[in-house]
PDB file of all heavy atoms in Angstrom:
ATOM      1  N   ILE N   9       1.291   9.835  -5.364  1.00 49.00           N
ATOM      2  CA  ILE N   9       1.802  11.157  -4.988  1.00 49.00           C
ATOM      3  C   ILE N   9       2.741  11.691  -6.057  1.00 49.00           C
ATOM      4  O   ILE N   9       2.709  12.875  -6.414  1.00 49.00           O
ATOM      5  CB  ILE N   9       2.503  11.080  -3.626  1.00 49.00           C
ATOM      6  CG1 ILE N   9       1.473  10.825  -2.515  1.00 49.00           C
ATOM      7  CG2 ILE N   9       3.272  12.364  -3.339  1.00 49.00           C
ATOM      8  CD1 ILE N   9       2.093  10.532  -1.165  1.00 49.00           C
ATOM      9  N   ALA N  12       0.652  12.804  -9.060  1.00 52.00           N
ATOM     10  CA  ALA N  12      -0.040  14.063  -8.764  1.00 52.00           C
ATOM     11  C   ALA N  12       0.924  15.243  -8.800  1.00 52.00           C
ATOM     12  O   ALA N  12       0.583  16.329  -9.282  1.00 52.00           O
ATOM     13  CB  ALA N  12      -0.718  13.967  -7.396  1.00 52.00           C
ATOM     14  N   ALA N  16       0.816  18.485 -11.356  1.00 50.00           N
ATOM     15  CA  ALA N  16       0.621  19.819 -10.786  1.00 50.00           C
ATOM     16  C   ALA N  16       1.631  20.834 -11.292  1.00 50.00           C
ATOM     17  O   ALA N  16       1.445  22.028 -11.114  1.00 50.00           O
ATOM     18  CB  ALA N  16       0.698  19.741  -9.256  1.00 50.00           C
ATOM     19  N   PRO N  18       3.048  21.212 -14.747  1.00 48.00           N
ATOM     20  CA  PRO N  18       3.271  20.962 -16.166  1.00 48.00           C
ATOM     21  C   PRO N  18       4.301  21.902 -16.778  1.00 48.00           C
ATOM     22  O   PRO N  18       4.949  21.574 -17.761  1.00 48.00           O
ATOM     23  CB  PRO N  18       1.883  21.177 -16.778  1.00 48.00           C
ATOM     24  CG  PRO N  18       1.176  22.077 -15.808  1.00 48.00           C
ATOM     25  CD  PRO N  18       1.683  21.680 -14.467  1.00 48.00           C
ATOM     26  N   VAL N  33     -16.171  -3.215 -20.441  1.00 97.00           N
ATOM     27  CA  VAL N  33     -16.642  -4.585 -20.231  1.00 97.00           C
ATOM     28  C   VAL N  33     -15.413  -5.483 -20.151  1.00 97.00           C
ATOM     29  O   VAL N  33     -14.450  -5.292 -20.896  1.00 97.00           O
ATOM     30  CB  VAL N  33     -17.564  -5.035 -21.374  1.00 97.00           C
ATOM     31  CG1 VAL N  33     -17.975  -6.495 -21.203  1.00 97.00           C
ATOM     32  CG2 VAL N  33     -18.797  -4.144 -21.457  1.00 97.00           C
ATOM     33  N   ILE N  35     -13.873  -9.666 -19.662  1.00 97.00           N
ATOM     34  CA  ILE N  35     -14.054 -11.113 -19.624  1.00 97.00           C
ATOM     35  C   ILE N  35     -12.954 -11.652 -18.720  1.00 97.00           C
ATOM     36  O   ILE N  35     -11.770 -11.534 -19.034  1.00 97.00           O
ATOM     37  CB  ILE N  35     -13.964 -11.731 -21.031  1.00 97.00           C
ATOM     38  CG1 ILE N  35     -15.047 -11.150 -21.932  1.00 97.00           C
ATOM     39  CG2 ILE N  35     -14.096 -13.252 -20.955  1.00 97.00           C
ATOM     40  CD1 ILE N  35     -14.961 -11.612 -23.370  1.00 97.00           C
ATOM     41  N   GLY N  52     -17.955  -9.263 -16.741  1.00 94.00           N
ATOM     42  CA  GLY N  52     -18.167  -8.240 -15.735  1.00 94.00           C
ATOM     43  C   GLY N  52     -18.056  -6.857 -16.346  1.00 94.00           C
ATOM     44  O   GLY N  52     -18.078  -6.690 -17.572  1.00 94.00           O
ATOM     45  N   ILE N  57     -12.302   6.697 -13.163  1.00 97.00           N
ATOM     46  CA  ILE N  57     -11.642   7.895 -13.675  1.00 97.00           C
ATOM     47  C   ILE N  57     -10.244   7.530 -14.159  1.00 97.00           C
ATOM     48  O   ILE N  57      -9.542   6.753 -13.529  1.00 97.00           O
ATOM     49  CB  ILE N  57     -11.534   8.981 -12.575  1.00 97.00           C
ATOM     50  CG1 ILE N  57     -12.925   9.422 -12.124  1.00 97.00           C
ATOM     51  CG2 ILE N  57     -10.745  10.188 -13.082  1.00 97.00           C
ATOM     52  CD1 ILE N  57     -13.725  10.134 -13.195  1.00 97.00           C
ATOM     53  N   MET N  70       2.231   8.696 -19.674  1.00 96.00           N
ATOM     54  CA  MET N  70       1.722   7.659 -18.781  1.00 96.00           C
ATOM     55  C   MET N  70       0.239   7.888 -18.530  1.00 96.00           C
ATOM     56  O   MET N  70      -0.287   8.982 -18.759  1.00 96.00           O
ATOM     57  CB  MET N  70       2.491   7.664 -17.462  1.00 96.00           C
ATOM     58  CG  MET N  70       2.369   8.943 -16.653  1.00 96.00           C
ATOM     59  SD  MET N  70       3.407   8.954 -15.167  1.00 96.00           S
ATOM     60  CE  MET N  70       2.813   7.487 -14.318  1.00 96.00           C
ATOM     61  N   SER N  99     -20.462 -22.748  -9.341  1.00 90.00           N
ATOM     62  CA  SER N  99     -20.942 -21.460  -8.858  1.00 90.00           C
ATOM     63  C   SER N  99     -20.046 -20.335  -9.351  1.00 90.00           C
ATOM     64  O   SER N  99     -18.897 -20.554  -9.742  1.00 90.00           O
ATOM     65  CB  SER N  99     -20.998 -21.446  -7.323  1.00 90.00           C
ATOM     66  OG  SER N  99     -19.719 -21.706  -6.788  1.00 90.00           O
ATOM     67  N   HIS N 111       0.346   3.007 -16.071  1.00 98.00           N
ATOM     68  CA  HIS N 111       0.894   2.510 -17.330  1.00 98.00           C
ATOM     69  C   HIS N 111       1.818   3.527 -17.992  1.00 98.00           C
ATOM     70  O   HIS N 111       1.598   4.734 -17.895  1.00 98.00           O
ATOM     71  CB  HIS N 111      -0.236   2.201 -18.329  1.00 98.00           C
ATOM     72  CG  HIS N 111      -1.244   1.226 -17.832  1.00 98.00           C
ATOM     73  ND1 HIS N 111      -2.586   1.319 -18.127  1.00 98.00           N
ATOM     74  CD2 HIS N 111      -1.114   0.128 -17.042  1.00 98.00           C
ATOM     75  CE1 HIS N 111      -3.234   0.322 -17.562  1.00 98.00           C
ATOM     76  NE2 HIS N 111      -2.362  -0.418 -16.893  1.00 98.00           N
ATOM     77  N   ARG N 113       2.797   4.777 -21.733  1.00 97.00           N
ATOM     78  CA  ARG N 113       2.126   4.684 -23.032  1.00 97.00           C
ATOM     79  C   ARG N 113       2.869   5.463 -24.105  1.00 97.00           C
ATOM     80  O   ARG N 113       3.628   6.398 -23.826  1.00 97.00           O
ATOM     81  CB  ARG N 113       0.673   5.155 -22.945  1.00 97.00           C
ATOM     82  CG  ARG N 113       0.446   6.588 -22.540  1.00 97.00           C
ATOM     83  CD  ARG N 113      -1.012   7.015 -22.771  1.00 97.00           C
ATOM     84  NE  ARG N 113      -1.976   6.026 -22.322  1.00 97.00           N
ATOM     85  CZ  ARG N 113      -3.257   5.984 -22.736  1.00 97.00           C
ATOM     86  NH1 ARG N 113      -3.702   6.889 -23.600  1.00 97.00           N
ATOM     87  NH2 ARG N 113      -4.082   5.063 -22.278  1.00 97.00           N
ATOM     88  N   THR N 117       1.706  10.781 -32.711  1.00 82.00           N
ATOM     89  CA  THR N 117       1.178  12.141 -32.793  1.00 82.00           C
ATOM     90  C   THR N 117       1.769  12.938 -33.950  1.00 82.00           C
ATOM     91  O   THR N 117       1.459  14.118 -34.094  1.00 82.00           O
ATOM     92  CB  THR N 117       1.447  12.892 -31.478  1.00 82.00           C
ATOM     93  OG1 THR N 117       2.859  12.882 -31.215  1.00 82.00           O
ATOM     94  CG2 THR N 117       0.718  12.242 -30.320  1.00 82.00           C
ATOM     95  N   ASN N 120       1.096  14.275 -39.796  1.00 81.00           N
ATOM     96  CA  ASN N 120       0.705  15.340 -40.726  1.00 81.00           C
ATOM     97  C   ASN N 120      -0.745  15.782 -40.558  1.00 81.00           C
ATOM     98  O   ASN N 120      -1.458  16.010 -41.529  1.00 81.00           O
ATOM     99  CB  ASN N 120       0.952  14.895 -42.170  1.00 81.00           C
ATOM    100  CG  ASN N 120       2.418  14.630 -42.463  1.00 81.00           C
ATOM    101  OD1 ASN N 120       3.288  15.368 -42.001  1.00 81.00           O
ATOM    102  ND2 ASN N 120       2.686  13.567 -43.206  1.00 81.00           N
ATOM    103  N   ASN N 153     -17.653 -20.746   3.688  1.00 88.00           N
ATOM    104  CA  ASN N 153     -17.155 -20.459   2.343  1.00 88.00           C
ATOM    105  C   ASN N 153     -15.920 -21.330   2.055  1.00 88.00           C
ATOM    106  O   ASN N 153     -15.011 -21.421   2.887  1.00 88.00           O
ATOM    107  CB  ASN N 153     -16.791 -18.976   2.252  1.00 88.00           C
ATOM    108  CG  ASN N 153     -16.674 -18.485   0.822  1.00 88.00           C
ATOM    109  OD1 ASN N 153     -16.073 -19.137  -0.029  1.00 88.00           O
ATOM    110  ND2 ASN N 153     -17.245 -17.315   0.559  1.00 88.00           N
ATOM    111  N   PRO N 154     -15.852 -21.964   0.873  1.00 93.00           N
ATOM    112  CA  PRO N 154     -14.709 -22.836   0.578  1.00 93.00           C
ATOM    113  C   PRO N 154     -13.431 -22.089   0.228  1.00 93.00           C
ATOM    114  O   PRO N 154     -12.374 -22.706   0.071  1.00 93.00           O
ATOM    115  CB  PRO N 154     -15.199 -23.649  -0.624  1.00 93.00           C
ATOM    116  CG  PRO N 154     -16.152 -22.734  -1.324  1.00 93.00           C
ATOM    117  CD  PRO N 154     -16.846 -21.977  -0.217  1.00 93.00           C
ATOM    118  N   TYR N 155     -13.492 -20.746   0.095  1.00 93.00           N
ATOM    119  CA  TYR N 155     -12.327 -19.975  -0.345  1.00 93.00           C
ATOM    120  C   TYR N 155     -11.838 -19.027   0.745  1.00 93.00           C
ATOM    121  O   TYR N 155     -12.616 -18.511   1.551  1.00 93.00           O
ATOM    122  CB  TYR N 155     -12.663 -19.144  -1.590  1.00 93.00           C
ATOM    123  CG  TYR N 155     -13.135 -19.952  -2.765  1.00 93.00           C
ATOM    124  CD1 TYR N 155     -14.471 -19.919  -3.153  1.00 93.00           C
ATOM    125  CD2 TYR N 155     -12.256 -20.742  -3.495  1.00 93.00           C
ATOM    126  CE1 TYR N 155     -14.911 -20.658  -4.237  1.00 93.00           C
ATOM    127  CE2 TYR N 155     -12.687 -21.490  -4.580  1.00 93.00           C
ATOM    128  CZ  TYR N 155     -14.020 -21.444  -4.941  1.00 93.00           C
ATOM    129  OH  TYR N 155     -14.450 -22.175  -6.015  1.00 93.00           O
ATOM    130  N   TRP N 176     -12.133  10.989 -27.626  1.00 97.00           N
ATOM    131  CA  TRP N 176     -12.530   9.619 -27.318  1.00 97.00           C
ATOM    132  C   TRP N 176     -11.343   8.681 -27.428  1.00 97.00           C
ATOM    133  O   TRP N 176     -10.543   8.793 -28.352  1.00 97.00           O
ATOM    134  CB  TRP N 176     -13.627   9.152 -28.277  1.00 97.00           C
ATOM    135  CG  TRP N 176     -14.917   9.885 -28.129  1.00 97.00           C
ATOM    136  CD1 TRP N 176     -15.331  10.983 -28.829  1.00 97.00           C
ATOM    137  CD2 TRP N 176     -15.972   9.577 -27.227  1.00 97.00           C
ATOM    138  NE1 TRP N 176     -16.575  11.380 -28.423  1.00 97.00           N
ATOM    139  CE2 TRP N 176     -16.995  10.531 -27.433  1.00 97.00           C
ATOM    140  CE3 TRP N 176     -16.159   8.591 -26.251  1.00 97.00           C
ATOM    141  CZ2 TRP N 176     -18.180  10.508 -26.708  1.00 97.00           C
ATOM    142  CZ3 TRP N 176     -17.340   8.566 -25.524  1.00 97.00           C
ATOM    143  CH2 TRP N 176     -18.333   9.521 -25.760  1.00 97.00           C
ATOM    144  N   LEU N 189      -5.242 -14.427  -6.002  1.00 94.00           N
ATOM    145  CA  LEU N 189      -6.432 -13.747  -5.500  1.00 94.00           C
ATOM    146  C   LEU N 189      -7.110 -14.517  -4.374  1.00 94.00           C
ATOM    147  O   LEU N 189      -7.709 -13.930  -3.479  1.00 94.00           O
ATOM    148  CB  LEU N 189      -7.441 -13.560  -6.638  1.00 94.00           C
ATOM    149  CG  LEU N 189      -7.320 -12.314  -7.508  1.00 94.00           C
ATOM    150  CD1 LEU N 189      -8.242 -12.430  -8.713  1.00 94.00           C
ATOM    151  CD2 LEU N 189      -7.662 -11.071  -6.708  1.00 94.00           C
ATOM    152  N   LYS N 191      -7.414 -18.752  -2.259  1.00 93.00           N
ATOM    153  CA  LYS N 191      -7.033 -20.145  -2.059  1.00 93.00           C
ATOM    154  C   LYS N 191      -8.242 -20.916  -1.551  1.00 93.00           C
ATOM    155  O   LYS N 191      -9.151 -20.320  -0.962  1.00 93.00           O
ATOM    156  CB  LYS N 191      -5.899 -20.271  -1.031  1.00 93.00           C
ATOM    157  CG  LYS N 191      -4.545 -19.751  -1.473  1.00 93.00           C
ATOM    158  CD  LYS N 191      -3.520 -19.993  -0.381  1.00 93.00           C
ATOM    159  CE  LYS N 191      -2.132 -19.556  -0.807  1.00 93.00           C
ATOM    160  NZ  LYS N 191      -1.116 -19.815   0.257  1.00 93.00           N
ATOM    161  N   ARG N 203      -7.046 -13.545 -14.562  1.00 97.00           N
ATOM    162  CA  ARG N 203      -6.770 -13.285 -15.968  1.00 97.00           C
ATOM    163  C   ARG N 203      -7.929 -12.439 -16.504  1.00 97.00           C
ATOM    164  O   ARG N 203      -9.084 -12.694 -16.169  1.00 97.00           O
ATOM    165  CB  ARG N 203      -6.663 -14.573 -16.778  1.00 97.00           C
ATOM    166  CG  ARG N 203      -5.510 -15.488 -16.368  1.00 97.00           C
ATOM    167  CD  ARG N 203      -4.185 -14.911 -16.811  1.00 97.00           C
ATOM    168  NE  ARG N 203      -3.080 -15.836 -16.608  1.00 97.00           N
ATOM    169  CZ  ARG N 203      -2.354 -15.918 -15.508  1.00 97.00           C
ATOM    170  NH1 ARG N 203      -2.636 -15.125 -14.488  1.00 97.00           N
ATOM    171  NH2 ARG N 203      -1.366 -16.783 -15.404  1.00 97.00           N
TER     172      ARG N 203
END
Side-chain angles (χ1 to χ4, degrees):
I9 291 172
V33 176
I35 300 175
I57 297 294
M70 62 185 303
S99 59
H111 303 144
R113 62 168 45 199
T117 57
N120 297 320
N153 198 315
Y155 301 108
W176 294 94
L189 273 170
K191 290 182 177 181
R203 297 287 188 270

